[in-house]
Amino acid sequence: MKNIVLTAMAASAVLVSCGTVQSLVQNTFPYTANVLVSTGVPADKEVSSTATATNVQTWFGGNNNAKIKDVRISEAKISVASPSGGNLSAFKSVKIYVSSNGTGERLIASRSNMSNNSSSLNLDLNDTGFLDEIVKSSGLTVRTVYELKSQTTSDMNIKVALNFSSVPAK
């Protein structure tokens, strides 16, 4: 009986330490962009806004030899930055694409049939595989494509917040 308890305790300690090590070696790095939705944007028409990721580039400096691998999108969220008290009820759909110099564009997150009156919303992540080549290249570009259900009554500033995760390369 004593051996069973000791074995169980040892196994628990190993499992907990493996999870701790994984969380210590896994990196998460952010990217944010602001998208202006002006009052002139028509409803039921897809509109695109592009931003170059300068804060992601500070992590790697466009260094294709950065010591990371297995880069994936881990979180994508949109929120109303202004006007104060604004909500996402005017939005019909949102899609987020990433690309960089010399790479094709990849859809990483989206949400359609939006019926949300809150000021923020987590997007559905697309299983795009690894994004190493895109994130480690120079000129990472994030393109936000959105469609409105109805025109907005005032300009809106939408914040797009993305988190990428990776593990150290050997």
Side-chain angles (χ1 to χ4, degrees):
M1 183 66 169
K2 187 187 231 182
N3 288 339
I4 292 173
V5 171
L6 289 174
T7 303
M9 288 174 57
S12 296
V14 167
L15 290 174
V16 168
S17 66
C18 287
T20 302
V21 168
Q22 177 64 24
S23 68
L24 289 175
V25 299
Q26 186 169 354
N27 301 311
T28 300
F29 47 97
Y31 169 76
T32 57
N34 289 319
V35 176
L36 176 64
V37 179
S38 65
T39 55
V41 173
D44 298 320
K45 181 180 177 188
E46 280 193 343
V47 178
S48 179
S49 173
T50 303
T52 301
T54 54
N55 53 348
V56 169
Q57 293 308 315
T58 61
W59 287 85
F60 310 113
N63 181 359
N64 211 10
N65 295 319
K67 301 294 184 200
I68 61 166
K69 67 177 185 171
D70 301 344
V71 178
R72 291 185 181 269
I73 183 72
S74 58
E75 182 180 30
K77 183 177 184 175
I78 60 170
S79 57
V80 178
S82 68
S84 179
N87 64 50
L88 299 167
S89 63
F91 284 83
K92 186 176 192 177
S93 66
V94 175
K95 298 174 191 166
I96 310 292
Y97 296 87
V98 293
S99 63
S100 64
N101 296 335
T103 67
E105 192 173 63
R106 308 244 308 258
L107 176 66
I108 58 168
S110 63
R111 180 63 75 98
S112 57
N113 299 322
M114 294 171 58
S115 59
N116 191 322
N117 290 330
S118 71
S119 63
S120 66
L121 177 67
N122 286 325
L123 301 178
D124 299 323
L125 302 180
N126 290 15
D127 185 11
T128 58
F130 297 124
L131 302 168
D132 297 32
E133 181 183 1
I134 293 173
V135 171
K136 290 166 56 175
S137 296
S138 62
L140 175 68
T141 302
V142 175
R143 186 168 69 99
T144 304
V145 177
Y146 63 90
E147 186 175 351
L148 299 176
K149 290 184 246 182
S150 58
Q151 280 188 317
T152 59
T153 56
S154 65
D155 287 354
M156 292 179 73
N157 194 7
I158 304 300
K159 178 182 172 185
V160 176
L162 304 175
N163 281 323
F164 296 92
S165 65
S166 69
V167 295
K170 294 180 181 182

